[in-house]
Amino acid sequence: QVQLVESGGGLVQAGGSLRLSCAASGSIFSINAMGWYRQAPGKQRDLVASFTSGGSTNYADSVKGRFTISRDNAKNTVYLQMNSLKPEDTAVYYCAVRTDTRPYWGQGTQVTVSS
């Protein structure tokens, strides 16, 4: 099993920045992809950014140029740097990893951007 612990959410004004962190533990040898999703009230949970073991990255069109996903393999941690935040970025953000057998989700962290 894989356990994920998220941190870094909070309340910021439009134009501000936050960095989310997600630390993985357990059977981390089996992880082959990591990423971030977000879900606003009443809406679907959507992919924000992700990467694979090959180093490729993928971003939602709405965050390209503002968000950056990165990874520290020594710490088994994935980050999401969020700059130039907009009110429409307000959501619960979830870390997610994929193993050879199943996906795992973090507990979620609230990001609120005020105008």
Side-chain angles (χ1 to χ4, degrees), residues 55-111:
S56 62
T57 58
N58 185 58
Y59 294 93
D61 288 342
S62 59
V63 307
K64 287 181 179 177
R66 301 187 298 119
F67 291 11
T68 303
I69 188 171
S70 61
R71 176 176 59 183
D72 186 335
N73 288 332
K75 297 181 179 180
N76 300 314
T77 300
V78 63
Y79 305 94
L80 185 68
Q81 179 66 45
M82 304 184 293
N83 298 326
S84 302
L85 283 162
K86 304 175 180 179
E88 52 261 43
D89 296 319
T90 295
V92 177
Y93 283 70
Y94 296 90
C95 177
V97 304
R98 188 179 68 203
T99 68
D100 293 337
T101 58
R102 57 158 290 184
Y104 293 86
W105 296 91
Q107 80 280 5
T109 185
Q110 177 71 47
V111 171

Side-chain angles (χ1 to χ4, degrees), residues 7 12 37-38 40 50 53 62 69 80 89 111 114:
S7 62
V12 298
Y37 289 71
R38 67 186 181 187
S50 65
S53 59
S62 59
I69 188 171
L80 185 68
D89 296 319
V111 171
S114 64

